[in-house]
Amino acid sequence: RLVARRAAAGDVFSFLTRSLVLPPDCAAMVWPEVGSPRVVGPGSMIEADGAVRVMFVRKAPFTLGYNFDRLTSADGFELSASVGFQIKVVAERTELAGFCDRLMGSAATVTLDALQSHCAEAVHAAVVAFVKARKATTLLSPQTWPEFDAILEDEFKPVGFASGLELLGDVRITTASKDFARAAEAERIQRLREERIAADRKLREL
């Protein structure tokens, strides 16, 4: 899925078509021959005169999803985690300049895969911080999962600020641990065995 595309004005406009109106879910940054680039909002018109190049950006939120394995809880259990959330590109001049510099570089397009890769390090750091500070029983409880939101927000701030991205709501994390499940099952079996031994001892004493 395409997030942004940059093109020379000559590739956008033709001899007969000297202007275009942006669709409702699209903003653009226009670089002129002279002066600073300007941002054009959804539904607005871009004129070909004086334009050198144009970057089109989707304004709709994008959903990112990640899966992480081999995480370690505070009490030493191995866990996995799945994370999902939404972000959007901020359609302001400073933010779009950062987006163009950090994400687009010399390329002509930015895809959803590129956006996901760009954010992956911050998301992983947030997950590691969340997991290593809590015991497995706490991490496996859905009541604990909303605590991840603030951690992700803190880790994402530098990336979002530098890249013109905004973290939206609807952050989701789920955790699982086969390691903890095996340990819990072994503990349950041991407890049943001890209860059985205790019951047998009482019967012999009767």
Side-chain angles (χ1 to χ4, degrees):
R1 186 181 176 187
L2 199 62
V3 176
R5 178 184 293 276
R6 183 175 55 195
D11 295 329
V12 175
F13 304 101
S14 67
F15 179 75
L16 297 176
T17 305
R18 305 302 295 162
S19 65
L20 62 85
V21 176
L22 292 174
D25 66 340
C26 183
M29 178 174 272
V30 181
W31 283 264
E33 293 177 353
V34 179
S36 302
R38 62 187 179 91
V39 176
V40 181
S44 300
M45 182 177 291
I46 301 177
E47 301 283 352
D49 293 343
V52 175
R53 66 182 184 275
V54 182
M55 179 175 69
F56 301 96
V57 179
R58 293 187 186 275
K59 287 204 65 180
F62 296 93
T63 299
L64 303 184
Y66 301 86
N67 295 304
F68 300 106
D69 297 317
R70 298 181 180 178
L71 305 165
T72 305
S73 67
D75 50 351
F77 289 99
E78 185 175 305
L79 293 94
S80 61
S82 297
V83 178
F85 57 91
Q86 289 190 321
I87 62 171
K88 72 173 184 177
V89 181
V90 181
E92 302 292 340
R93 192 174 76 175
T94 300
E95 285 76 6
L96 286 180
F99 175 85
C100 186
D101 180 53
R102 295 300 180 94
L103 270 146
M104 186 162 278
S106 60
T109 62
V110 175
T111 64
L112 186 57
D113 286 345
L115 197 62
Q116 176 132 335
S117 296
H118 183 73
C119 299
E121 185 175 345
V123 180
H124 182 258
V127 172
V128 169
F130 176 68
V131 169
K132 75 179 183 180
R134 292 163 177 81
K135 293 183 177 180
T137 50
T138 303
L139 291 165
L140 295 170
S141 171
Q143 285 73 29
T144 305
W145 297 345
E147 296 174 11
F148 175 70
D149 295 18
I151 299 172
L152 177 61
E153 185 177 350
D154 286 344
E155 290 288 348
F156 190 82
K157 276 180 182 177
V159 177
F161 181 79
S163 308
L165 302 172
E166 181 182 350
L167 177 65
L168 304 177
D170 196 28
V171 176
R172 302 175 307 281
I173 185 170
T174 59
T175 58
S177 176
K178 293 180 180 178
D179 188 21
F180 182 81
R182 284 192 296 267
E185 178 63 13
E187 184 179 339
R188 187 187 69 85
I189 293 172
Q190 178 63 23
R191 186 171 58 252
L192 290 174
R193 183 181 295 114
E194 291 173 355
E195 290 173 355
R196 199 160 50 242
I197 292 171
D200 291 343
R201 184 181 301 114
K202 285 183 178 181
L203 286 174
R204 287 195 299 270
E205 291 172 353
L206 290 178

